[in-house]
Amino acid sequence: MIYVAGRVLSTGFFALVYFLAPVLNLPYASHHSTKPTFLQLFSAWDGKYYRQIALIGYPTQLPLDATGHVAANAWAFLPLYPWLTRGLMMATGLSFTAAGITVSVLFGAVAAVLLYRLLAGRIGNRPALWVSACFSLGPMSFLFQVTYADTLFLALLFACLLLMAMKHYLLMIPLGVAAAFTHPGELALAAALAILFISGLIRREAVSRVERIRMIVAGLTLAAAGFAWPLIADSVTGNKSAYFDTELSWWTGWVGRIEHFVPFTPWFDLFYRYLGAAGVVAVIALVAGFVFWLTRPGMRALGDEILAFSGSYGAYLVAVFLPQQSIARLLLPLSPLFGMPALSMRPRLRRVTLAVLVALGPFAIAELWFIFPP
């Protein structure tokens, strides 16, 4: 019911901003030359690439811009979500927008339930329900009803974390592989398994040989799946760096033309460009602060699996992502960290936090959906 209430609320916020947009002089979306219908609004921005994949597929030849560099194209987006949407379209006759919204809303509900299940046994039912409510009603929850792949990815991710916590490592494989073809970030699952494996050896935990083998098999399979998409893009297009060149095409407005991707440099490139040496210090401080936060004694209540994944996913973001407006939605996989006892165990703080998150909803839609797409 909380998730349903969230979708009703965010729909109302969408309607409010949609009808106020002319008054506020807000653009409707990048690919609409005229005012879209209310339903079309939900398939704006990156939704056009998912539509292209669902209806046409991926280009076999990479498009080039006026300077001869690879231009933005569909290879930046993974195929499982548009394929599921295409299947629903064929089965029901729905339009891409209607089918895409349906897939997003349904998997968002699954993600909310799995998030609750992941935390309930660790911090208690009421705090876990509160975390799920923040997830379902928070300012970024409007993404749960647009034609983006985020909810499918989150559902697969939380399912894998739940299976990891239950030590069902082999069962993680099909869901983790599916996540690898849904949205970038699945490699953090493989890294989390590696951390748990190594820490178990260091602490000499009583783990059977069979369980260790299962962890290794699952980790290696998920790692292979995480690296597969760039190889597929290269093979289909005949360009040895098709995927990375495509991703870099989105960076030019922020840091200029980057010829070759180098891991763990994007944050430094952006912060240094705008803040100079102080930006480098700021990045180091952010990373150190995140590590300090994860290693606080109170965070141990969340369990080794959540902490290992959170650290891995944070490292992934610093390694490959250029921080800009999309950072808000890319932090959603870290939602389990809201279960930290210092926050989730305090009723008054829970109420205030949830109220603030809900109140931010229309502002997030106006800023991130109408002006700077996430």
Side-chain angles (χ1 to χ4, degrees):
M1 291 300 295
I2 294 175
Y3 181 79
V4 173
R7 303 293 61 75
V8 172
L9 185 65
S10 55
T11 300
F13 287 157
F14 259 117
L16 174 65
V17 180
Y18 175 77
F19 290 110
L20 285 178
V23 179
L24 301 174
N25 197 30
L26 297 177
Y28 277 106
S30 62
H31 68 283
H32 290 299
S33 57
T34 59
K35 178 180 176 180
T37 66
F38 185 61
L39 185 63
Q40 288 175 333
L41 184 69
F42 294 86
S43 61
W45 306 112
D46 289 348
K48 68 180 180 181
Y49 292 106
Y50 287 118
R51 179 194 297 272
Q52 175 186 327
I53 296 165
L55 302 182
I56 303 173
Y58 291 91
T60 56
Q61 184 173 355
L62 294 176
L64 303 178
D65 61 20
T67 65
H69 293 92
V70 173
N73 66 85
W75 281 107
F77 303 91
L78 294 154
L80 186 56
Y81 170 76
W83 286 354
L84 283 178
T85 301
R86 174 67 174 177
L88 184 59
M89 292 168 63
M90 295 175 65
T92 63
L94 291 172
S95 67
F96 168 81
T97 299
I101 292 172
T102 301
V103 172
S104 293
V105 170
L106 291 178
F107 279 100
V110 173
V113 172
L114 289 172
L115 179 59
Y116 166 78
R117 289 285 305 277
L118 180 63
L119 292 171
R122 301 168 184 269
I123 60 175
N125 292 336
R126 190 175 294 274
L129 186 63
W130 172 80
V131 175
S132 184
C134 291
F135 178 78
S136 302
L137 300 167
M140 296 307 297
S141 66
F142 73 88
L143 289 169
F144 301 170
Q145 59 198 80
V146 303
T147 57
Y148 275 32
D150 295 74
T151 60
L152 175 58
F153 180 65
L154 290 166
L156 293 167
L157 200 60
F158 294 159
C160 283
L161 287 176
L162 187 58
L163 290 171
M164 190 188 301
M166 298 168 67
K167 303 188 185 306
H168 295 321
Y169 303 117
L170 295 184
L171 293 179
M172 291 176 59
I173 291 175
L175 297 178
V177 170
F181 290 92
T182 299
H183 194 280
E186 174 269 353
L187 278 172
L189 288 171
L193 284 173
I195 291 172
L196 294 175
F197 183 86
I198 294 171
S199 65
L201 291 177
I202 293 173
R203 292 184 292 192
R204 298 185 179 182
E205 295 177 347
V207 178
S208 69
R209 181 180 179 184
V210 172
E211 185 173 309
R212 293 193 190 280
I213 292 174
R214 289 171 178 169
M215 290 183 73
I216 293 171
V217 171
L220 291 177
T221 304
L222 295 183
F227 286 111
W229 187 246
L231 299 178
I232 293 172
D234 296 353
S235 176
V236 173
T237 63
N239 184 319
K240 64 179 181 179
S241 58
Y243 176 74
F244 292 108
D245 287 349
T246 297
E247 288 287 354
L248 290 174
S249 68
W250 265 274
W251 294 15
T252 54
W254 296 93
V255 292
R257 175 64 59 182
I258 302 293
E259 295 295 337
H260 303 288
F261 169 72
V262 179
F264 292 102
T265 61
W267 287 59
F268 291 101
D269 286 341
L270 183 73
F271 278 69
Y272 182 78
R273 180 180 179 87
Y274 293 99
L275 298 176
V280 175
V281 175
V283 173
I284 295 172
L286 284 171
V287 173
F290 183 66
V291 173
F292 178 81
W293 178 37
L294 288 184
T295 55
R296 293 304 83 206
M299 299 295 284
R300 294 174 186 170
L302 298 179
D304 291 342
E305 295 79 15
I306 289 176
L307 295 180
F309 168 77
S310 298
S312 299
Y313 187 75
Y316 163 81
L317 290 181
V318 174
V320 306
F321 178 68
L322 186 74
Q324 22 82 2
Q325 66 272 23
S326 287
I327 190 66
R329 72 182 177 97
L330 293 180
L331 291 176
L332 284 171
L334 296 177
S335 295
L337 293 180
F338 256 61
M340 58 183 178
L343 178 61
S344 65
M345 298 295 188
R346 300 180 179 181
R348 180 175 297 180
L349 188 55
R350 289 202 306 257
R351 291 192 293 270
V352 172
T353 302
L354 182 58
V356 170
L357 292 176
V358 171
L360 289 174
F363 300 99
I365 292 174
E367 179 71 18
L368 293 175
W369 196 248
F370 283 73
I371 301 176
F372 295 112

